[in-house]
Amino acid sequence: MDAFLQAAIDEAQQGLDEGGIPIGSVLVHQGKIIGRGHNRRVQHGSATLHGEMDALENAGRQPASVYRDSVLYTTLSPCSMCSGAILLYGIPKVIVGENQTFLGEEDLLRSRGVQVEVVQDARCVELMRTFIARSPELWNEDIGE
Amino acid sequence: MDAFLQAAIDEAQQGLDEGGIPIGSVLVHQGKIIGRGHNRRVQHGSATLHGEMDALENAGRQPASVYRDSVLYTTLSPCSMCSGAILLYGIPKVIVGENQTFLGEEDLLRSRGVQVEVVQDARCVELMRTFIARSPELWNEDIGE
């Protein structure tokens, strides 16, 4: 297991333990995690802090040069908002834990030159499958459905 | 002047008065503002709270039915992150103060069925022109350049 994907899964698990949506993310610059986070819809009543957004927010203000030399790890295929943030900051590479329970804007990202790798990690799938089965309304709220 | 665009401009002005980036936004549901905000990069050290994101965040958790019956007003053409948030939540209409100083993802929004109206309001243009001339590095940071 890639240690950075494992860190994103740890964030997802922490979110679940807090009663939240189990999606986690880390932003990695030159081999070091500079931001990590997880979905905060339940914990902060947040409409914008998806896992990826929370990782970006926790990385703080960074110059373009940092983003453009970074990799974003996320346990789940990034939605349009998080994909838009990836495009805004010119993050060149995204490692996706799984896209079986939700397929985000991977095609848009690739069409703009972002390298997207999907791992299909069994633990990422299981976290989301179990959560969606238990809390379908919360999940639908998170993806605007 | 549309009262809702005026409210977005008031938010932009408030951001400027706080030493921040003068971009404001309001989310309007059935003729009432349910969320308002402005760019918080400087004030909160935030990488994700653009004006539109701040308005969405301040509107709090909402069901899809609310977003799908709402209009987002923003003083500046929405970047890819904010456009992605508009797509995530299925907001059907966006009123843009101006797109002369920055052209965001209006084409992407329209290609996904979002109605985008650009007002080219002189005060919105002036707020951004003056700000960009004074703080080009801060502006570039905000748009990932």
Side-chain angles (χ1 to χ4, degrees):
Chain A
M1 164 70 72
D2 181 307
F4 299 127
L5 182 58
Q6 181 61 57
I9 295 172
D10 291 347
E11 286 287 331
Q13 182 65 49
Q14 187 181 334
L16 190 68
D17 294 345
E18 293 166 357
I21 301 173
I23 304 169
S25 177
V26 296
L27 183 66
V28 176
H29 178 245
Q30 296 185 339
K32 284 179 69 175
I33 294 174
I34 61 169
R36 53 191 301 154
H38 52 271
N39 188 298
R40 306 282 184 173
R41 178 170 296 273
V42 172
Q43 298 93 321
H44 294 185
S46 176
T48 69
L49 287 175
H50 277 188
E52 301 91 321
M53 304 295 285
D54 195 44
L56 289 168
E57 185 69 1
N58 290 334
R61 291 172 55 182
Q62 299 287 344
S65 59
V66 168
Y67 296 114
R68 290 181 187 191
D69 193 24
S70 290
V71 181
L72 185 73
Y73 287 74
T74 174
T75 56
L76 184 66
S77 185
C79 81
S80 54
M81 174 174 68
C82 299
S83 296
I86 290 161
L87 294 175
L88 169 65
Y89 288 121
I91 297 169
K93 186 171 177 177
V94 181
I95 308 290
V96 174
E98 64 106 351
N99 66 4
Q100 291 181 0
T101 65
F102 175 80
L103 178 59
E105 295 273 6
E106 295 175 15
D107 285 349
L108 175 66
L109 289 171
R110 291 193 182 99
S111 76
R112 301 287 183 94
V114 179
Q115 187 183 345
V116 181
E117 288 181 15
V118 183
V119 179
Q120 300 299 17
D121 175 82
R123 185 154 166 228
C124 291
V125 175
E126 180 57 25
L127 275 166
M128 284 307 294
R129 281 235 169 98
T130 305
F131 165 72
I132 293 172
R134 281 185 196 157
S135 305
E137 288 167 14
L138 181 53
W139 174 235
N140 284 339
E141 181 191 319
D142 203 53
I143 55 173
E145 286 183 1
Chain B
M1 163 70 73
D2 181 307
F4 299 127
L5 182 58
Q6 182 61 58
I9 295 172
D10 291 346
E11 286 287 331
Q13 182 65 50
Q14 187 181 333
L16 189 69
D17 295 345
E18 293 166 357
I21 300 173
I23 304 169
S25 176
V26 296
L27 183 65
V28 176
H29 178 245
Q30 296 184 340
K32 283 178 69 175
I33 294 174
I34 61 169
R36 54 191 301 154
H38 51 271
N39 187 298
R40 308 281 185 174
R41 178 170 296 273
V42 172
Q43 299 93 321
H44 294 184
S46 176
T48 69
L49 288 175
H50 278 189
E52 301 91 321
M53 304 296 285
D54 195 43
L56 288 168
E57 186 69 0
N58 290 333
R61 291 172 55 182
Q62 299 288 344
S65 58
V66 167
Y67 295 114
R68 291 180 187 193
D69 193 25
S70 290
V71 180
L72 185 73
Y73 288 73
T74 174
T75 55
L76 183 67
S77 186
C79 81
S80 55
M81 174 174 67
C82 299
S83 296
I86 291 162
L87 294 175
L88 169 64
Y89 288 123
I91 296 169
K93 187 172 177 177
V94 181
I95 308 290
V96 174
E98 64 105 352
N99 66 4
Q100 290 180 1
T101 66
F102 175 81
L103 178 59
E105 295 273 6
E106 295 175 14
D107 285 350
L108 175 66
L109 289 172
R110 291 192 181 100
S111 77
R112 302 286 182 95
V114 179
Q115 188 183 344
V116 181
E117 289 181 15
V118 182
V119 179
Q120 300 299 18
D121 175 82
R123 186 155 166 225
C124 291
V125 175
E126 180 56 26
L127 274 166
M128 284 307 293
R129 280 235 172 99
T130 305
F131 166 73
I132 293 171
R134 280 186 197 155
S135 305
E137 289 167 14
L138 181 53
W139 174 234
N140 284 339
E141 182 192 318
D142 202 53
I143 54 173
E145 286 184 2

